[in-house]
């Protein structure tokens, strides 16, 4: 069978090639992105995409599921082993759908949920008014401490006691510090709330013991599979025996129809990779690189929210530099450094403009970069910001970025079939 995208559809081929080249020749520093392995890519590009398999392995609504059952069993067993969980549902198409299913497995629509305030680092699905979470539930939020910019147990306790939520969501999208899930969960449970931990960002760190785990304390754990976990784009739910039936029912048939079996096969591959000892070495490099980069930015007198990081990401507050996140993101992109604008605590700008930049190290650590490269990149980011986004500085940085990318080839042997 001919599988030549270039001749079958040159327009789509060019778009795909353009994106692959962008990944090869720029520095990917969006904290939620990574480079999955060629084996994961191979599993994604298989005829498993053709298969309908509504239901769960061994209890499907369609015939012909014997091989995709094997793939899903592998993904489930590997996810359970990786995180030490009793039950795994590997079908959520995304982290958002995992959260939808998890919340409704624990509480009814109309009840009160509480997540981290969005401009402080929470996620859309943790209670944004434009998201299902803000429309199906009453929403209250907990906040970072104004002095330390950290999630402090005392503040959280006071907020939970005052607001009496039915469900607390722990975890964040743009918070650079570790969260001790067990301690926060104890507080929420004492106040009568159920707890979902959303570890979409830190899953790889959690799986390797480099970040506190929510398994064993939180009621349900949700994640994506493509961030620090370095798998295909998708979602994951973990829980104990108590909630497994309800979780499975809320994923299918409540929230989703047919599972994406090619993605589930790719999740199995990624979980298998994450069970290897090298994966912990990689995750340690992600953290080390983040700390070296954070230190370099701080040495260059840039202001990081909380002053640093425990994880794979940091948040640069550009208020002292008189710049917006939007302008800085665009300037860094012209320099070949891809980040995203992000609100900072008490941001004076709108979410479309923002006063911050979120920077992460998972992708560049996959690429093999280490301390020397982080120091160089920290200087280049600081140069662009200090110059107030001067086009000459941006052009000179772009040249250096391209040289560095050439020295660390990414997907060099990968080509479109
Ligand atoms: N959009 C993701 C992120 O960038 O953090 C979260 O879903």
């Amino acid at each position: 069978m001919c599988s030549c995208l270039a001749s079958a559809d040159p327009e789509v081929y060019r778009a795909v090639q353009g994106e692959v080249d962008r990944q090869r020749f720029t520095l990917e520093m969006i904290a939620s992105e990574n480079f999955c392995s060629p084996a994961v890519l191979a599993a994604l590009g298989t005829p498993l995409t053709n298969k309908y398999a509504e239901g769960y392995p061994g209890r499907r609504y369609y015939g012909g599921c014997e091989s995709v059952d094997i793939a899903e069993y592998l993904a489930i067993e590997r996810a359970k082993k990786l995180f030490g969980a009793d039950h795994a549902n590997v079908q959520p198409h995304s982290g958002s759908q995992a959260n939808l299913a998890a919340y409704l497995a624990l509480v009814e629509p109309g009840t009160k949920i509480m997540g981290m305030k969005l401009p402080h680092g929470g996620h859309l699905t943790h209670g944004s008014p434009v998201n299902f979470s803000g429309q199906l539930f009453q929403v209250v939020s907990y906040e970072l401490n104004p002095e330390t910019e950290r999630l402090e147990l005392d503040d959280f306790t006071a907020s939970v006691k005052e607001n009496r939520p039915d469900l607390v969501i722990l975890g964040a999208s743009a918070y650079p510090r570790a969260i001790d899930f067990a301690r926060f969960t104890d507080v929420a449970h004492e106040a009568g709330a159920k707890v979902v931990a959303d570890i979409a960002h830190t899953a790889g760190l959690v799986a390797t013991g480099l970040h506190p785990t929510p398994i064993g304390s939180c009621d349900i754990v949700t994640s994506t599979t493509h961030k620090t976990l370095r798998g295909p784009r998708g979602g994951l739910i973990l829980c104990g025996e108590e909630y497994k039936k309800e979780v499975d029912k809320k994923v299918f048939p409540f929230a989703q129809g047919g599972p994406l079996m090619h993605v589930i096969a790719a999740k199995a591959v990624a979980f298998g990779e994450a069970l290897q000892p090298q994966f912990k070495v990689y995750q340690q490099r992600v953290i080390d690189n983040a700390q070296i980069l954070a230190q370099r930015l701080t040495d260059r007198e840039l202001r990081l929210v909380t002053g640093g990081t425990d994880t794979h990401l940091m948040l640069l507050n550009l208020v002292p530099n008189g710049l917006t996140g939007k302008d800085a993101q665009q300037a860094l992109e012209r320099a070949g450094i891809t980040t995203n604008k992000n609100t900072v605590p008490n941001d004076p700008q709108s979410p479309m403009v923002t006063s911050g930049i979120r920077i992460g190290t998972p992708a560049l650590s996959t690429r093999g970069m280490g301390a020397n490269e982080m120091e160089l990149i920290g200087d280049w980011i600081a140069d662009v910001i200090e110059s107030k986004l001067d086009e000459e500085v941006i052009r000179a940085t772009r040249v250096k970025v391209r040289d560095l990318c050439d020295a660390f080839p990414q997907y060099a042997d990968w080509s479109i079939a």
Side-chain angles (χ1 to χ4, degrees), residues 30-33 95-96 123 172-174 200-201 224 226-227 340 358:
I30 292 179
S32 48
E33 296 188 13
S96 294
H123 185 250
S173 274
H201 265 268
T224 54
H226 50 274
K227 298 187 176 98
N340 66 279
R358 190 182 64 164

